[in-house]
Amino acid sequence: MQNSFYIVINLMLVLYACYSWFWQAKLELRSKYRLSVLLWTLLIIWLGVAWNFFEIKAPGLNVFLALILVISIIDGYTGFAPRRMVVSSYFKRTVRYSEIDNILIINVITPTKSSVICIVNTINEGQYYFRFNGRSAEEVVEVLKQHIDHTIKIRVQKIKKMP
């Protein structure tokens, strides 16, 4: 019973990893890597082992844990692909551009390096956050305009960060 569970769950994880990798490979504008996804995964695995939630000698557990780690590494990459936004979410990896309601772009200017924060609100009240280091707000707007409907409102703000 336990062996068939790991076979089924591992197959599902492999399929999800391929799906996620496909979209991550399509990114035209890649945002800053979200290290927190990997850190949370490592913490959950550590707690699972420390609290004996995992039976260490279970067949398939090693593959399961390896797949979870690979998926968390892949899922740290987000950005804008040709047909969809690639987001870092546990239940949704991509968002169609047709679901976007409005966009706020914040250009953060510092003496050392600038970055752009992009907050995308969707029609169904979802909100997604992207951070682009070393990019300008104009670059991000240009990529978005290639994919979104021209009626979607894009607001751009500038923030000067004190040294």
Side-chain angles (χ1 to χ4, degrees):
M1 177 71 175
Q2 187 179 30
N3 195 22
S4 62
F5 167 77
Y6 278 115
I7 290 172
V8 171
I9 199 79
N10 288 343
L11 180 62
M12 289 172 46
L13 288 174
V14 165
L15 292 174
Y16 176 77
C18 292
Y19 172 78
S20 187
W21 203 336
F22 169 80
W23 282 106
Q24 184 255 324
K26 295 248 180 213
L27 292 176
E28 290 178 349
L29 187 60
R30 185 181 309 250
S31 67
K32 184 176 184 264
Y33 184 79
R34 291 181 181 244
L35 189 59
S36 63
V37 176
L38 180 59
L39 295 176
W40 278 110
T41 302
L42 290 172
L43 177 67
I44 290 169
I45 290 172
W46 178 74
L47 289 174
V49 171
W51 293 343
N52 294 322
F53 284 129
F54 300 124
E55 186 177 328
I56 301 300
K57 297 188 185 205
L61 179 65
N62 292 341
V63 175
F64 172 77
L65 294 176
L67 285 169
I68 293 293
L69 283 173
V70 167
I71 287 171
S72 69
I73 292 168
I74 294 170
D75 281 356
Y77 289 107
T78 60
F80 303 124
R83 295 187 316 224
R84 298 178 183 198
M85 293 186 310
V86 178
V87 298
S88 183
S89 173
Y90 290 110
F91 302 108
K92 193 170 191 176
R93 183 66 173 140
T94 62
V95 176
R96 295 179 193 274
Y97 289 113
S98 60
E99 295 177 34
I100 295 175
D101 184 42
N102 63 66
I103 301 168
L104 172 62
I105 295 177
I106 303 169
N107 196 7
V108 181
I109 302 168
T110 63
T112 56
K113 73 175 175 182
S114 61
S115 65
V116 175
I117 298 169
C118 181
I119 302 168
V120 178
N121 294 306
T122 61
I123 296 168
N124 56 1
E125 298 181 11
Q127 190 173 61
Y128 300 96
Y129 166 87
F130 302 90
R131 183 176 181 152
F132 302 95
N133 287 340
R135 301 284 183 168
S136 68
E138 293 79 20
E139 283 181 90
V140 176
V141 169
E142 193 61 38
V143 170
L144 282 169
K145 283 186 176 182
Q146 293 173 12
H147 303 297
I148 63 172
D149 188 345
H150 69 279
T151 60
I152 295 173
K153 185 177 178 182
I154 301 175
R155 294 177 300 157
V156 179
Q157 296 178 350
K158 290 185 181 180
I159 295 178
K160 288 188 179 183
K161 195 170 182 181
M162 299 301 287

